[in-house]
Amino acid sequence: MVRYGHFDDRTREYVIDRPDTPLPWINYLGSEEYFGLISNTAGGYSFYRDARLRRLTRYRYNSAPLDVGGRYLYLRDDTTGDYWSPSWQPTRRELDEYECRHGLSYTTISSARTGIRAETLYYVPLGETLEVWRVAVTNERDTTADLSLFSSVEFCLWDAQDDATNYQRNFSTGQVEVDDGVIYHKTEYRERRDHFAFFACSEPIEGFDTQREAFLGPYRGWEAPIAVERGSLSGSIAHGWSPVGNHHVRLSLEPGETREVIFVLGYAENPRDDKFDPPHSQIINKLRVRPKIAHWLQPSAVKAGFDALTRHWTALLGGLQVSTPDPDTDRMVNIWNAYQCMITFNLSRSTSGFETGIGRGMGFRDSNQDLLGFVHIIPERARERILDIAATQIATGGAYHQYQPLTKRGNNDIGDGFNDDPLWLILGVSAYLKETGDASILDEPVPFDNAPGSEVSLYEHLIRSLTYTLDRLGPHGLPLIGRADWNDCLNLNCFSETPGEPFQTTENVSGGQAESVFIAGQFVLAAKELASIADLRGLGEKAAEYRAAAEKMTGTIVEHGWDGAWFRRAYDFHGNPIGSGENDEGQIFVEPQGMCVLAGVGLDDGLAARALDSVAERLATPHGVVLQQPAYSRYHVELGEISTYPPGYKENAGIFCHTNPWIMIAETIAGDGDRAFDYYRRINPSARESISEVHRCEPYVYAQMIAGKDAPTHGEAKNSWLTGTAAWNFVAITQWILGLRPELDGLRIDPVLPRAWNGFVATRVYRSATYEITVRKPIGVTGRVTQLVVDGSPVDGTVIPPAPAGTTVRVEAVIG
Ligand code: GLC
Ligand code: GLC
């Protein structure tokens, strides 16, 4: 049992107490326009809005050693010449003490060596496009300490993709200015860019460098810069090559003395016609940025900004707080899972330790699902996000699979044809309506493909989504899968034999009739949701129509999608079943078991219970539920990317965590709180903290994947942070296991708890009223709510109609 740290629930921090975590354990800075990634050893980078197009600093993915590039500081004892990094990296010289605290949008790293303590706080003030590093250096020796403090960042020439590839140009374009101790990075400012970066220090500086080679010295790395070794910077000005920012501050500290030094790294823009000062020069006009820099270099401003950030998070998280018998549940629900949901809102799948920021934009299906995890925290921004997403739908009802956050336009490289995509819009909108009651969103005019003049109501978009499926049914009456459904790697019309061919956009066969049982289940769910929305609009006839369509599809699933003991996964191009006992590999898949039961298929005739038993028997492992079994041991050309992964990884029988909450929810629908909660705990990162040496990723956030039982590294997580797992687990635990479930007509209280619990208490803000909820249950008992008392009066059923905004409602529920 190896631990690398512990949770501090009171301060809402994860405390890492040794720097050599199995992988960089990261956190995020920023919440609006300026963002950064920061590891427990100060690795990471920053960007403005778009991690690809406006990258401020460099980072080297997949590097050796791990985690190269960051917000580095060096301390040097000017008496002995000894130097080290207070964040351990990049020098990796031994520290006598080390502690990193990752908090909500900030990180502190503290350490001590030879009696010199340094504590650095990193955060992005709300409303600003800059980051603050506040370093407190303390002399704990009994003699005066003569020290040098060096700062270090390496600038990225803005476009991170180009920066990492186009050296023939980029080695000649780099430009900086140094003015009043502030280092300005202004590559391409002379021409078409109106933005620049700045790096400032609160203390008078002894020197600076801006050319990487001058700082590091030839053939040296960040672990041993020649300038730090020597104890002085050379005042280099970068012309081309690699612009960096280094300050040198001298500190002479009496015994016991502490000095605070503040560094500010940021992004600024100027109006195009006012870029230069004097106007016809090539010098950056610093009129607007100077006051900002001056402000944030003041200790009082840094403290006030940090307090504001803390209050901000308290307010965001305050809308749902629970106290259950399980501390791992509490800290995930109250702090970390909610935080992760906000990070996925901000960054989708763009920037993490595994996503380089230059890959995908926003996913249509991903963003709709991410909504489920943050709609209760920031409903206005969920509204905005829904309208952005819907505007990338095309008139056929199909949807661009991805869109760019900067332009909000559908991405032509990948296009449409992922046939599950449109249905997620219905599920996203329905979650928004249930949370907020804001039916006005349905009447918002929204274009197709962002084309002006093509606007129809959002409600009409939802109808198109449903029709899209109905217009594309295959030979069994099941929905055609298109390029893929939720499982991006089930590419049934691809048949690729050529290395490098993209599985998701290549169709080497035409007239594909491959069908998806997953989409069928998702359709049933979406049709029922749309029926309720139609009812809300007084369109009873339409509602009946959608319910009939759901019922018909349910019949089709039972007839053609049932394999005897579980739901099948799909039919391939040739009409052969996938996820069937008839197959030699890939006999049972998790996705249709989850989605069909969520949709209510098989609840009356025992199929759902049978399917869930099959999941328990064939797919469950101690580390979570694997995606399918048996894993594909060889390449199946007719299946696409799924069988390209070695057994046990990713979509080939990995524990693809996103799907696990579907099973948890299905178990609660079937009434089994023990199984639901057991599955919940298996992948709960906090509950896995004690096996960090196996899990390896951060114990405070979900990872997309944990290696499955066929993998030699079973239990090892990868792709932490940016995953639909965050939103779905939040939904599974809060809405289904704890059972605090927003519905169109009110808040439902319907917990399905494990036998071992005696209840829980919760505070839930819902449509601006506060619900103080107590659920009681005898230990050892299972079952549903038998008695619900609202403000002292017993009520029928389990739905509490919305209370007036600003009021507090006391809710007592009894189970069993
Ligand atoms: C990734 C994608 C998601 C997809 C899943 C399964 O998480 O972001 O859209 O559903 O993989 O392939
Ligand atoms: C790859 C990944 C899959 C992801 C997809 C998104 O196929 O394996 O998980 O969803 O890329 O582009």
Side-chain angles (χ1 to χ4, degrees), residues 349 360 365-366 486-489 651 656 704:
R349 304 292 172 271
R360 304 186 250 179
R365 85 157 78 86
D366 292 338
W486 172 86
N487 190 329
D488 266 335
C489 299
E651 280 88 339
F656 215 97
Q704 179 205 59

Side-chain angles (χ1 to χ4, degrees), residues 116 139-146 253-256:
I116 303 300
N139 177 11
E140 293 179 342
R141 300 175 182 165
D142 46 20
T143 52
T144 305
D146 290 313
L253 300 182
E254 296 305 314

